[in-house]
Amino acid sequence: MKRSPIAIVGLGVLVLVVIILPFTATNYLLRLTTIAFMYIALASSWNIVGGFIGYPSFATAAFFGIGAYASGILRGASSLPLPATWLFGAAAATLFSLLVGPAILRLRGHYFAVASLVLAAVLREITNAATTLTGGGMGLNLPAVGAINVDVQTRLYYVSMLVAAALTIGLATLIWRSRLGWAMRCIEQNEDAAIVLGVNTLATKILGFAASAATAGLVGAIYATWIGYIDPTDAFDDLLSVKPIIMAFIGGVGTIFGPVAGAIIFLVLEEFVWRNVLNFHAGILGIIIVALLVFMPGGIGSIGRGIEKLRAYGRAGRTSDISGAAPPVVPS
Amino acid sequence: MVDLLKASGLCGGYGDVQVLHDVALTVKAGEIVCLIGSNGAGKTTLLRVLSGMAKSTAGSILFADQDLRGLPAQEIVRRGIAHVPEGRRLFAGMTVRENLLMGSYLRGDGRAVINKDLDFVLATFPKLAERLHQDASTLSGGEQQMCAIGRGLMANPTLLMIDELSLGLSPKLVGELSKALTEINRAGQSILLVEQDVATALRLASTGFVLDTGRIVLSGPSNELVANPSVREAYLGMTAA
């Protein structure tokens, strides 16, 4: 594939900024960038199921929470190195996806969406009830990482989330370019036609679901040690399922770059609104999101079309012919 | 000629609704067989049962002497039955070439062989060659049907099943497609054709089966069916003299 020089330069600058930041930036900015990496990973993770396969998944929170709790519990019970506990979290989320995937991936459309949404709710209740293992509603405190100071810790999680985001984008790209990616695109377009061509649609969907689970689980695991404390409402928060969808929609669903750009735009908006309109931030953010989705239904790539649409509304208002259609020809 | 596909006593449908009742149908190697019948007779359901898309409850589907009944769709494709579904069902957002190549999704033989088949499809449907790198959704109805048939051929099937060849197409296009199918058949391709346009179907095929409310009510060589008074009256709109 050919890339434009602008894209290469842009990517180069981005890589440079990411490398330089830990040496120059304040802890606040680093923390914000770490959240950006987390959002990028979650949006790209959702995109594998929601974008490539076209299945509206609300399971991100379930995967995230399992990753967080599995790694958190293991960390409390053992002295394994951090990355090992994180991988354990990712593995637990993957295992969970392989257990429920074959059942709920037979459902289509809204039915699948609801089934995937319920997963986090059920897990939240189970986590609440399993007090001895998870601490229940009291939450789970994770031991801090050795005796290192705040500056080093901030940079440790900066790098870790960066790696998680890179792994997720890498995995998504790998899938997108492979035979599996083609099968997913076919399912997204027309599942029956895909079956007719011999695509094993259930297996394809399960693999995509598992890839999404592994990456979201890894992010959840890193998040748990980063924050140092998790509780059921936080780790299985439904917003963790909803936000990645919004990000992917902002940037462009079903592309590699879309969720990345969308996650950054979303974070900037979220942070900006949060800092400036503290007592109505959720409302303002909601309005912005609705406006973005109305005028850029295909993500930022379609902003031209959105402006065109606005102009068309303007024209329709000025002229008497609102429909824009030619008047019917009356045969004489 | 050898029986390529031999379905017998086939019952099936969707959920609790039984559509097919004791259906028997044979396709001999190298021939074009048409399946005709009115709307809702069960033609599409029969194709879906044969390709593993819909469930059958009884009977057998012998294909090259092996029973296919109950096998998953991808296994049936692998054994050599390609199904061109009703309404084309191309993949929008993919080029014509990518759509065609998706037809060879399960094939393990190398790129060279697949490219040779692609050349054959493009030689059969030169219009597709002109539109090779266009999004499949920008094709006209006739071109979409060509692309769908081409995609079926790309599976290198022993039996090609086409559902509603002429649906929504002009008579001129139907004529073009019929010519192409005859050519493909001469090259050795066995074809099972589902068609509402009975005149076209019987002209193309050497053998015909008439399906009515899920039962085969009549079958035989096309020329006999054309002459059959009940076929003429029910499907060709001619009253018996």
Side-chain angles (χ1 to χ4, degrees), chain A residues 42 45 49 57-69 89-90 92-94 96-98 100-101 104 116 119-120 123 208-221 235-236 241:
Chain A
L42 289 179
S45 160
V49 179
S57 169
F58 285 84
T60 316
F63 301 149
F64 183 95
I66 290 184
Y69 267 99
T94 312
F96 173 75
S97 76
L98 291 174
V100 296
I104 70 168
S116 66
L119 295 178
L123 288 169
F209 202 53
S212 184
T215 46
L218 177 66
V219 173
F236 294 105
S241 296

Side-chain angles (χ1 to χ4, degrees), chain A residues 179 182 186 189-190 196 198 200, chain B residues 74 77 83 89 92 102 105:
Chain A
R179 214 171 98 94
W182 283 101
C186 287
Q189 276 294 317
N190 193 322
V196 160
N200 188 339
Chain B
Q74 68 264 19
V77 177
H83 180 170
R89 310 263 175 115
M102 274 315 296
Y105 181 77

Side-chain angles (χ1 to χ4, degrees), chain A residues 19 29 43 49 105 107 158 160-161 215 229 248 257 262 283 305 330:
Chain A
I19 293 172
L29 193 60
V49 179
L105 286 165
L107 304 170
Y158 175 91
S160 304
M161 275 303 182
T215 46
Y229 168 80
F257 179 70
R305 258 183 291 150
V330 183

